[in-house]
Amino acid sequence: MTPRPNLHTHTLHSDGDFTVEEVVRAAARAGLTHVAITDHFETSKVAHPLRRASLERYIEEVRAVGRAYEGRVEVLAGVEIDTNPERCALSELPLALLNRLDLVLFEYVEDPLQGGVPLSELRPLCEALTVPFGLCHWDMDRIFRGRRPEWLADRLSALGAFVEVSTSQHYARDGRFLYEHSERFYRAFAGKVRVSIGTDTHHALEEVGNIGRGMEFLRANGLCGQLLFNGQG
């Protein structure tokens, strides 16, 4: 069975409006197979991010809710990390704690509009992670407009990163999602780069199950077999 995942949601632990249990309940009702709680971690971008002092408690809560929903939806513990070094001290991240998670998302990598560090600078951190890590709501069409898609696919494959298909309306322009603008890059990911789907849910529980268009995009481009946690660990 092809997974139906949403690996990008936020809760009251950072800037979301709902508890972990409320998000997971919405995922189960929507028929998702996987849902990840990925609150903002140690960034000045949001007023009340998840802090390292609370990370163990956060993981324990997500795991407890996961046990309560066992057999209905797989619940994963993750965080979202801002790669702008003026907002997040990347060199000071608690790697041992991050490696207790199920996945880590990085936002704004190599994006000049957001001050994100390039992939080359992120590499030491990624190499220290033992859990899956990926790049979320990434505007590849804009950031790498002059680059061949195969060049980026090879870089990501060597790094071991997955790339998100973000179905949030916040990551669209000219009536199309950013992933649709970047379709040529996703096509180059076939057989090389793993993918995920994320709604970046903050303020509306109905968004949790809003993965249909993203799934259609992955099917059209032959990428469903490369979904994270699709029987590949």
Side-chain angles (χ1 to χ4, degrees):
M1 181 181 72
T2 300
R4 286 177 45 79
N6 178 359
L7 303 186
H8 191 165
T9 67
H10 297 274
T11 72
L12 291 169
H13 285 283
S14 63
D15 59 345
D17 290 346
F18 307 101
T19 65
V20 172
E21 200 277 335
E22 286 173 320
V23 171
V24 172
R25 186 193 313 144
R29 287 177 175 171
L32 300 187
T33 58
H34 301 71
V35 62
I37 308 300
T38 54
D39 277 294
H40 293 285
F41 184 69
E42 295 279 356
T43 174
S44 61
K45 172 187 168 182
V46 300
H48 302 289
L50 180 65
R51 299 290 186 185
R52 68 189 65 201
S54 302
L55 187 55
E56 287 193 70
R57 209 160 50 245
Y58 169 81
I59 294 171
E60 290 169 2
E61 180 181 342
V62 175
R63 298 270 190 260
V65 174
R67 289 191 293 272
Y69 280 80
E70 188 172 358
R72 298 176 62 189
V73 58
E74 185 170 349
V75 182
L76 306 166
V79 294
E80 182 176 8
I81 294 176
D82 185 350
T83 64
N84 182 326
E86 294 184 2
R87 297 189 297 244
C88 178
L90 296 170
S91 63
E92 299 175 11
L93 290 171
L95 293 171
L97 284 174
L98 294 180
N99 280 328
R100 292 188 55 200
L101 297 163
D102 296 304
L103 73 159
V104 172
L105 299 178
F106 292 105
E107 61 177 343
Y108 306 133
V109 175
E110 215 152 313
D111 189 338
L113 298 184
Q114 291 289 342
V117 299
L119 280 169
S120 58
E121 290 187 27
L122 195 65
R123 178 179 290 276
L125 174 57
C126 294
E127 290 177 344
L129 290 173
T130 59
V131 298
F133 57 90
L135 311 172
C136 59
H137 49 72
W138 214 22
D139 195 353
M140 293 179 287
D141 175 63
R142 171 175 54 81
I143 297 169
F144 303 107
R145 182 153 294 178
R147 292 287 192 170
R148 295 174 60 249
E150 293 76 14
W151 169 85
L152 182 59
D154 289 340
R155 287 183 78 196
L156 296 173
S157 178
L159 189 63
F162 66 86
V163 177
E164 178 185 271
V165 167
S166 177
T167 59
S168 169
Q169 291 292 343
H170 290 290
Y171 300 105
R173 67 170 182 270
D174 302 325
R176 300 173 68 209
F177 287 105
L178 296 184
Y179 66 82
E180 293 172 323
H181 285 282
S182 299
E183 186 168 10
R184 67 189 184 281
F185 290 100
Y186 284 96
R187 287 175 178 166
F189 294 166
K192 293 183 178 181
V193 180
R194 295 170 77 178
V195 294
S196 70
I197 297 180
T199 63
D200 202 5
T201 297
H202 286 79
H203 309 302
L205 284 175
E206 59 267 24
E207 292 175 357
V208 174
N210 183 30
I211 67 165
R213 189 164 166 178
M215 289 296 298
E216 290 174 9
F217 175 83
L218 293 178
R219 279 192 288 269
N221 287 285
L223 292 170
C224 285
Q226 290 173 222
L227 276 164
L228 199 65
F229 303 115
N230 186 16
Q232 303 174 41

